[in-house]
Amino acid sequence: QKMRTNQTSQALVSPVSSQSLADFMGDLDYDASMDAELQSYIIAACEKIISITNHELLTRSFEFETDDFYSFDYIRLPSYPATAVTEFLANGEAVEFVAKLKARPAVVKPMASSNDYKITYSAGYANIESIPAIYIQTINMLACYVYDNRGCDMKEAIDQSGARMGIDVLKVRYSAI
């Protein structure tokens, strides 16, 4: 059985503020006492979009472990956009590697073969201004719908909110390299 894990210990930070979501909604009488509630919908939207698209928001560090060596001797990093590979271990030993971080998805080729890899890398955008506008729009659309339809199913929310279009554009496809 193949093993793959991709974990981060860093909290997700949303590029969308409670105030900007309220502005997006238009008819909401916003006040600061609503921040925690609105942030919960924003973070839920961000988490759902990331889980479907593998497209990160602001830069976070990840540890990816796998015993599965992908096609063409490259290992595909699960989170996009990858910005740096800081450590590459094969069977617990540091190895040389070649990284193609601009690829979608980013790929890393080890210079030594193994059946146990651990890659520490960063993925995400450096600042809010560099996040694609369609990503911000998709977060707003999904968070707004979930706020207006509290308790709704997230799959329904994606389809009904119009967020599906943005998700389809952002989705990182993991087909053959």
Side-chain angles (χ1 to χ4, degrees):
Q1 176 163 341
K2 297 177 181 183
M3 180 273 304
R4 288 183 211 142
T5 62
N6 191 51
Q7 299 179 352
T8 183
S9 60
Q10 295 173 304
L12 174 62
V13 176
S14 172
V16 176
S17 69
S18 299
Q19 178 67 61
S20 65
L21 178 63
D23 293 345
F24 177 82
M25 295 168 85
D27 61 353
L28 182 65
D29 289 329
Y30 171 80
D31 71 66
S33 68
M34 302 171 78
D35 278 354
E37 181 183 10
L38 291 177
Q39 274 301 306
S40 70
Y41 296 111
I42 293 166
I43 293 296
C46 292
E47 287 173 345
K48 187 63 175 176
I49 295 166
I50 290 170
S51 75
I52 295 170
T53 65
N54 297 313
H55 201 124
E56 272 298 313
L57 288 165
L58 295 170
T59 302
R60 298 191 287 172
S61 294
F62 292 86
E63 282 190 358
F64 177 57
E65 295 185 58
T66 184
D67 61 2
D68 185 13
F69 209 174
Y70 301 101
S71 61
F72 302 106
D73 297 331
Y74 282 97
I75 297 172
R76 294 176 276 194
L77 297 178
S79 298
Y80 176 86
T83 56
V85 175
T86 55
E87 183 177 56
F88 194 114
L89 303 177
N91 291 327
E93 300 290 325
V95 296
E96 297 286 319
F97 61 91
V98 174
K100 295 183 178 182
L101 299 179
K102 300 271 187 228
R104 184 174 175 155
V107 293
V108 183
K109 181 178 182 173
M111 295 297 136
S113 64
S114 172
N115 61 356
D116 180 29
Y117 296 101
K118 181 178 178 183
I119 304 165
T120 304
Y121 71 103
S122 299
Y125 295 93
N127 53 52
I128 291 171
E129 294 75 27
S130 60
I131 296 172
I134 194 166
Y135 207 155
I136 304 296
Q137 178 79 2
T138 302
I139 294 166
N140 278 320
M141 291 168 74
L142 186 55
C144 179
Y145 186 88
V146 174
Y147 176 82
D148 287 342
N149 299 277
R150 292 170 189 84
C152 69
D153 176 70
M154 274 297 223
K155 181 180 180 331
E156 171 191 323
I158 289 166
D159 293 335
Q160 295 298 314
S161 68
R164 171 71 57 205
M165 180 199 66
I167 287 171
D168 288 346
V169 168
L170 294 166
K171 192 168 192 168
V172 177
R173 311 251 184 247
Y174 287 87
S175 58
I177 296 172

